[in-house]
Amino acid sequence: MENVHCPVMVKEVISALKIASEGVYVDCTVGEGGHSLAISGATDPKPTIVGIDLDKNALTKAKKMLGERAVLINDSYVKIKEISHRLNYRKIDGILLDLGLSSLQLETTNKGFSFARESRLDMRFDTKQELSAWEIVNKYSQQELADILYFYSNESKSRQLAKAIVNARPIDTTTELANLIKSTMFSNRKSKIHPATRTFQALRIATNDELGNIQKVLSNALDILKTGGRVVVITYHSIEDRLVKRFMTKYASKCICPPNNPICNCEHEPKIKLISKKVIKPSENEVNKNPRSRSAKLRVAELL
Ligand code: SAH
């Protein structure tokens, strides 16, 4: 059982952030502090680090790991601008987003993130939030559920599954939901992944408005980065990665005219430059050592 979160692509993150001693770095998803610890150790004297996380429990671990090396803030990364201003950091040298969830959260028995662990359906990173996966599963309309499954996990049987969920209500626990999915989707026996994987991903994204949050934090990041400052994003599934790629490509491009425009008339000014045109993936060695890194993709952009 993995009970310590092993940070992903640490070397790549450090090099992408171009860390400088006098720099200010915001780790938007500080989690247990793995990346922040590496950022802190990258220069002597140490850079200034602000670590943000919605999960209080994660911050307690981060505090133990980081001590005085970082200012820790229990809030959403969406508020990166307000948080930096409040701390009097007007311009930031580097911003890191390590999306998804930590091994600790996946393993925590009462969070309901994992279909392999019996728990009430919850999936909130922020326990103060009202909406939980239980509400979505038990209260949303069949159409809303089908859309969530389709758009947040590319589930091809989204309608069938949404219907089965509505018919089986109330569904209180992860196990009840996982068993229902298994019995509804028995078809592809060759697939190595459990049929509930996609549904649980979709519910987590919907519960925490993850895609909306990524859009917001990226826009806000561009407002507070200094010229030459970098934003580094690690994603763990194609829906997230596509969103980040589209955002970065749009703000890096000189023209955002529709492809069929004969001449450019958008007068779009690029705001960022892509540091690596191709997405950066973990080494084979890392994937072997840390299976959680398997699906990781890293993208870096620099403010112009
Ligand atoms: N890099 C971390 C692990 C990050 S896992 C480490 O090395 O330990 C992703 C983290 O993002 C989780 O701790 C989760 O609680 C946090 N998170 C998810 N959505 C968030 C949001 N909107 N604002 C702040 N933190 C968020």
Side-chain angles (χ1 to χ4, degrees):
M1 183 169 102
E2 271 179 288
N3 47 19
V4 176
H5 181 87
C6 182
V8 169
M9 298 177 85
V10 173
K11 263 207 314 232
E12 292 83 349
V13 166
I14 299 302
S15 121
L17 282 171
K18 271 202 327 194
I19 296 159
S21 282
E22 64 283 7
V24 179
Y25 298 86
V26 181
D27 183 349
C28 289
T29 48
V30 69
E32 287 159 59
H35 283 114
S36 278
L37 189 69
I39 295 171
S40 146
T43 59
D44 190 15
K46 297 184 188 323
T48 302
I49 303 173
V50 179
I52 304 174
D53 206 291
L54 267 181
D55 181 352
K56 263 200 161 143
N57 194 23
L59 284 181
T60 308
K61 301 251 172 191
K63 181 77 198 162
K64 274 198 196 133
M65 176 87 100
L66 298 165
E68 300 306 310
R69 293 185 183 90
V71 180
L72 298 175
I73 309 281
N74 182 208
D75 210 332
S76 172
Y77 54 56
V78 165
K79 298 198 206 139
I80 184 175
K81 228 175 3 184
E82 293 97 298
I83 294 169
S84 320
H85 287 179
R86 199 168 68 226
L87 294 170
N88 262 328
Y89 299 128
R90 297 276 144 192
K91 288 289 172 193
I92 304 296
D93 295 80
I95 294 173
L96 171 65
L97 279 153
D98 176 25
L99 300 170
L101 74 171
S102 70
S103 314
L104 179 78
Q105 288 165 332
L106 194 65
E107 301 289 335
T108 303
T109 38
N110 60 356
K111 279 283 191 187
F113 283 120
S114 164
F115 54 81
R117 274 169 212 286
E118 169 84 12
S119 156
R120 183 180 155 84
L121 287 167
D122 187 329
M123 300 198 186
R124 293 168 303 165
F125 287 123
D126 176 5
T127 45
K128 296 187 294 299
Q129 179 182 296
E130 275 185 25
L131 181 69
S132 71
W134 187 92
E135 260 83 43
I136 297 177
V137 167
N138 288 286
K139 301 283 180 212
Y140 277 27
S141 71
Q142 191 170 316
Q143 181 63 49
E144 282 172 316
L145 271 175
D147 285 349
I148 286 174
L149 297 175
Y150 183 74
F151 290 112
Y152 297 166
S153 69
N154 300 327
E155 176 55 66
S156 58
K157 293 188 176 157
S158 54
R159 284 168 198 281
Q160 188 185 335
L161 198 52
K163 190 171 174 195
I165 290 175
V166 169
N167 288 339
R169 284 170 174 173
I171 303 169
D172 290 327
T173 68
T174 48
T175 322
E176 279 168 49
L177 181 62
N179 288 342
L180 175 74
I181 298 165
K182 213 171 166 187
S183 60
T184 315
M185 320 256 288
F186 51 83
S187 59
N188 191 358
R189 267 179 243 125
K190 271 194 218 138
S191 172
K192 272 196 218 139
I193 63 163
H194 189 287
T197 310
R198 278 197 299 274
T199 302
F200 273 64
Q201 174 188 304
L203 288 172
R204 200 197 76 216
I205 293 176
T207 303
N208 299 292
D209 187 20
E210 291 182 26
L211 302 185
N213 286 346
I214 297 171
Q215 292 272 15
K216 287 181 202 145
V217 68
L218 289 175
S219 300
N220 291 337
L222 300 194
D223 290 342
I224 55 168
L225 273 177
K226 62 167 67 150
T227 303
R230 299 223 170 146
V231 56
V232 175
V233 189
I234 308 177
T235 62
Y236 292 89
H237 56 80
S238 60
I239 300 169
E240 272 176 350
D241 181 58
R242 204 178 316 134
L243 193 73
V244 175
K245 181 180 174 185
R246 282 203 186 135
F247 182 95
M248 288 189 173
T249 316
K250 177 176 163 194
Y251 284 93
S253 76
K254 291 194 182 77
C255 167
I256 52 164
C257 289
N260 52 356
N261 260 23
I263 51 160
C264 167
N265 56 5
C266 66
E267 294 176 21
H268 187 257
E269 292 268 347
K271 271 195 167 180
I272 53 177
K273 98 174 161 199
L274 305 182
I275 295 306
S276 157
K277 293 239 157 39
K278 268 192 146 182
V279 71
I280 301 168
K281 294 188 187 160
S283 67
E284 214 181 298
N285 189 23
E286 176 167 4
V287 175
N288 289 336
K289 280 198 196 135
N290 177 14
R292 183 181 171 270
S293 69
R294 189 180 52 231
S295 50
K297 288 183 177 164
L298 185 150
R299 294 188 185 271
V300 200
E302 182 174 295
L303 199 81
L304 292 170

